[in-house]
Amino acid sequence: MTTTDHYAFASTAAEQIIKGMGIVSLPIDPKAIARDREIEVVAKPMENEGVSGMLVRFGNNFAIAYATHLQNEGFENFSVSHELGHYFLPGHADAVISGDSGAHLSRAGFSSTNKFEIEADRFAASFLMPRHLFYPAIQQAGCGLGAIENLAMLCKTSLHATAIRYTQCTREPVAIIISRGGTIDHCFMSPSLKNIEGIDWLKKRGGVPRNTTTYTFNQVEDNVLHGVRMQATSNVQEWFGGRRSIEISEDVVGLGRYGKTLTVLYDINIPEPEDEEDEEALIESWTPRFKR
């Protein structure tokens, strides 16, 4: 299930900027970095659904406005970093703003299908959680939702963005799912999980599997709004299909005013091919044969 990452250059660009600034510890402060570039940064109570921020250009001067209605520092940091993606990535400012002056509304949060928005999202995640600083933090973070919460606290990032970045950087087979009600918004899988044979991708706008804790959790709206969390066991087949019935861990948490649910699937111990062959051989050797 290997795939080519068409947006890796955006991540690389962000990480090179952080290294070039000589930053050697987390968290990254995108507002301070913007102001050091003489980019004005302004908080705005943007109530338009989906709007996370704005990049404004007037001649050679830029300003960034970011949404505050979610009252979430991590979301605000991501929004500012997303606008910095439009500022730093070659061709972005000209593509999203027509002429020498104007403004561009962004919808950060890994939900857009627009090329420039996807690239800015990837830039933002890597800008706030660059691999050379994020890798060592992962080793100390723990596992499951607890690991993501610890990393989010360290990096001052949202659970949503941190969970996605965690799947990109961890060496463990892990998946995170963002859902709303009975529908999957999107799923991210770690490289080691993607490369396992015989499992399927979870498709955007697909249904949440009914025999899972996530499905039950999402039937109660207050679970999401009040940030309720649940821990349970699940099964690889329930989520990804395939022929292997393997128990896994499923952590679920409501994302509050964001209106969505985060699911973390981990402890996914897929047998090595040689182990499966040995087990099949053992079953075969112990299966009685009856004469006809």
Side-chain angles (χ1 to χ4, degrees):
M1 194 188 290
T2 56
T3 57
T4 301
D5 186 352
H6 298 291
Y7 304 104
F9 77 94
S11 295
T12 301
E15 290 167 349
Q16 287 177 342
I17 290 169
I18 295 300
K19 287 181 179 178
M21 291 178 178
I23 296 174
V24 295
S25 64
L26 299 168
I28 308 298
D29 187 344
K31 297 170 189 172
I33 291 172
R35 289 174 179 135
D36 284 345
R37 291 265 173 170
E38 298 185 347
I39 301 172
E40 185 178 0
V41 181
V42 182
K44 291 287 186 182
M46 298 178 189
E47 296 295 347
N48 293 343
E49 185 175 356
V51 173
S52 60
M54 180 189 301
L55 181 67
V56 181
R57 176 166 67 181
F58 186 76
N60 294 322
N61 298 318
F62 286 85
I64 291 173
Y66 62 92
T68 59
H69 61 283
L70 292 181
Q71 300 177 357
N72 183 309
E73 182 185 22
F75 180 80
E76 293 170 9
N77 284 337
F78 190 90
S79 298
V80 173
S81 299
H82 178 100
E83 303 309 329
L84 285 174
H86 289 317
Y87 172 82
F88 279 114
L89 290 172
H92 267 236
D94 290 335
V96 300
I97 301 175
S98 299
D100 292 333
S101 64
H104 167 70
L105 292 176
S106 288
R107 288 167 173 80
F110 302 94
S111 59
S112 176
T113 58
N114 178 275
K115 169 182 179 289
F116 295 104
E117 298 303 299
I118 295 171
E119 290 172 359
D121 274 346
R122 288 294 297 270
F123 178 97
S126 300
F127 193 77
L128 294 170
M129 296 167 278
R131 286 178 187 268
H132 66 289
L133 301 179
F134 200 60
Y135 270 139
I138 286 177
Q139 307 308 313
Q140 307 297 322
C143 61
L145 176 60
I148 292 167
E149 289 176 322
N150 289 335
L151 291 166
M153 187 178 301
L154 172 66
C155 299
K156 295 187 178 179
T157 46
S158 68
L159 281 181
H160 184 189
T162 309
I164 293 172
R165 188 62 171 158
Y166 179 69
T167 64
Q168 293 170 344
C169 295
T170 183
R171 293 181 173 88
E172 299 298 320
V174 172
I176 69 100
I177 297 99
I178 300 295
S179 61
R180 187 194 294 267
T183 305
I184 293 171
D185 228 24
H186 50 255
C187 169
F188 284 79
M189 303 163 69
S190 66
S192 58
L193 183 58
K194 287 180 186 177
N195 291 329
I196 292 173
E197 299 257 350
I199 64 174
D200 298 323
W201 287 93
L202 293 177
K203 294 181 174 60
K204 184 179 178 67
R205 298 189 184 89
V208 176
R210 287 179 173 266
N211 295 328
T212 62
T213 298
T214 301
Y215 183 88
T216 303
F217 181 95
N218 283 355
Q219 303 311 299
V220 182
E221 289 185 10
D222 282 353
N223 285 344
V224 178
L225 182 61
H226 298 303
V228 174
R229 62 192 58 220
M230 290 185 182
Q231 289 184 312
T233 56
S234 189
N235 195 287
V236 165
Q237 282 182 319
E238 293 290 349
W239 284 101
F240 305 111
R243 63 184 179 82
R244 300 179 177 97
S245 178
I246 299 172
E247 189 174 86
I248 61 177
S249 295
E250 178 180 352
D251 291 352
V252 188
V253 64
L255 296 179
R257 297 181 66 181
Y258 193 47
K260 299 180 183 181
T261 297
L262 167 64
T263 300
V264 186
L265 304 177
Y266 62 106
D267 286 341
I268 305 174
N269 298 312
I270 303 294
E272 295 294 331
E274 56 268 25
D275 294 335
E276 290 187 312
E277 290 174 5
D278 290 345
E279 183 176 348
E280 289 173 1
L282 181 61
I283 292 172
E284 176 71 18
S285 69
W286 278 82
T287 301
R289 299 288 183 268
F290 299 98
K291 293 182 179 179
R292 293 187 176 181

